Amino acid sequence: MNTKIIFSPKCLAYGEWHTENPERVSKAYDVLKQKRYEFLTPKHASEDDLLKVHDTEYIWNLKKGLVEDPDTPAYDNIYEYARLSAGGAITAAETSGFSIMRPPGHHAGISGAALGAYTRGFCYVNNIAVAVRHLELDTLILDIDGHHGNGTQKIFSGDNHVYYVSLHRHPHYPGTGAVSEANCLNFPLDADIGNKAYLEKLDEALSMVPLERFSAVGVSAGFDTHKGDLASLGLTENGYTGIGSRIKGLSKRTFFVLEGGYSGVNNGNDIDALLRGFEGV
Ligand SMILES: [Zn+2]
């Protein structure tokens, strides 16, 4: 496979007891290593990179360990973990790779919880937003995580350089994304609709995007849509291969950033399925 995986074992050192736990990445890494993917090591994103997305007060509080909610603990050194995960997204954007770093990011808005959600849903820094702002290309963000990326929508709402397209289960956490507005297209879906109905909706969504305006695609790649996972839409590996082939069809410079997905083995197999579709192999 041509797409390289961005990973550092440093992202495995916190949150063993949490739903968003190290195994969801370590087991995915094991699967991808066995399948002979090549790996790149990320560097930390700079504070300036984070401040292109988040406000100063939020980053200051994050650094001091003062930001906490029932879903999203103030772990020791979480600012450094979050900065490395954001750096993984930047490396993915620069190399057209796939970052499997944690913590995830798409629920983190400009100053924390976004659009009325009362938690940050396991997210600290909006990784894909940091990568898009770093890349400075007009970018389509395709969010295939099973939850609406309320943070990403908040950050890019009204931004002429970015289009945000999300397919997600609804009603479900975080409760946002029921309707589209301006440059943010939302497709709320019933639970467990399955591969066929999902891919039909994805085709409809992509047909509504003015593709000629964009030179890059950033994918918020969550796999909690997998059958039985936290935001199940009843998808299987074949579904992810179908998603990958549609992203290939966009014919743009493309990168991928892991969001949710809470079975490490499924995550590894689903990433491989997605990339097989994307690379047409
Ligand atoms: Zn999710």
Side-chain angles (χ1 to χ4, degrees), residues 106-107 145-147 222 224 231 259-262:
H106 73 155
H107 296 304
D145 187 88
H147 301 94
D224 44 20
E259 301 286 358
Y262 297 92

Side-chain angles (χ1 to χ4, degrees), residues 265-280:
V265 172
N266 284 350
N267 286 347
N269 287 323
D270 292 346
I271 289 167
D272 178 58
L274 183 81
L275 291 177
R276 279 191 279 112
F278 177 64
E279 296 196 14

Side-chain angles (χ1 to χ4, degrees), residues 5-274:
I5 307 295
I6 292 89
F7 170 75
S8 162
K10 289 180 181 168
C11 80
L12 305 177
Y14 72 93
E16 289 76 13
W17 53 272
H18 197 280
T19 304
E20 197 285 286
N21 59 56
E23 282 198 349
R24 54 181 293 271
V25 167
S26 65
K27 289 190 172 174
Y29 169 79
D30 291 343
V31 169
L32 295 168
K33 190 167 184 203
Q34 197 176 26
K35 292 180 184 292
R36 300 184 181 280
Y37 278 83
E38 286 181 58
F39 294 86
L40 298 173
T41 303
K43 296 192 184 80
H44 287 82
S46 69
E47 190 166 314
D48 283 347
D49 282 320
L50 308 192
L51 291 172
K52 289 175 186 167
V53 168
H54 298 287
D55 67 30
T56 309
E57 185 181 359
Y58 176 66
I59 292 301
W60 190 87
N61 285 333
L62 194 61
K63 204 189 294 188
K64 299 285 181 191
L66 299 175
V67 186
E68 185 160 35
D69 65 51
D71 284 340
T72 323
Y75 296 111
D76 288 348
N77 300 319
I78 189 61
Y79 176 71
E80 295 304 321
Y81 296 121
R83 220 155 56 82
L84 190 57
S85 189
I90 288 174
T91 303
E94 287 177 339
T95 63
S96 298
F98 194 130
S99 173
I100 61 168
M101 296 294 286
R102 60 189 282 267
H106 73 155
H107 296 304
I110 294 166
S111 55
L115 304 181
Y118 55 89
T119 78
R120 287 165 297 127
F122 318 157
C123 299
Y124 299 84
V125 164
N126 195 308
N127 304 313
I128 197 149
V130 169
V132 165
R133 287 265 159 84
H134 180 89
L135 201 57
E136 295 187 332
L137 293 174
D138 286 2
T139 300
L140 165 64
I141 298 175
L142 176 62
D143 190 329
I144 59 167
D145 187 88
H147 301 94
H148 179 238
N150 54 323
T152 310
Q153 173 164 324
K154 173 74 181 176
I155 289 160
F156 291 111
S157 182
D159 186 323
N160 289 329
H161 298 285
V162 174
Y163 233 68
Y164 176 69
V165 175
S166 176
L167 281 73
H168 47 267
R169 183 161 149 177
H170 189 86
H172 203 53
Y173 180 87
T176 54
V179 295
S180 299
E181 48 182 76
N183 61 325
C184 300
L185 300 185
N186 289 315
F187 296 85
L189 302 173
D190 292 334
D192 292 315
I193 58 168
N195 293 337
K196 185 169 179 290
Y198 183 94
L199 291 171
E200 285 171 5
K201 189 57 77 171
L202 179 59
D203 286 334
E204 180 191 333
L206 294 175
S207 75
M208 294 170 69
V209 177
L211 282 173
E212 69 283 356
R213 283 176 46 190
F214 303 104
S215 47
V217 175
V219 182
S220 261
F223 298 94
D224 44 20
T225 49
H226 192 109
K227 193 174 183 182
D229 206 321
L230 217 53
S232 176
L233 293 173
L235 301 192
T236 63
E237 285 179 36
N238 282 342
Y240 297 108
T241 300
I243 295 170
S245 68
R246 281 156 177 83
I247 297 168
K248 173 187 166 71
L250 301 176
S251 301
K252 306 283 183 188
R253 171 179 178 161
T254 302
F255 67 98
F256 303 85
V257 177
L258 182 65
E259 301 286 358
Y262 297 92
S263 156
V265 172
N266 284 350
N267 286 347
N269 287 323
D270 292 346
I271 289 167
D272 178 58
L274 183 81

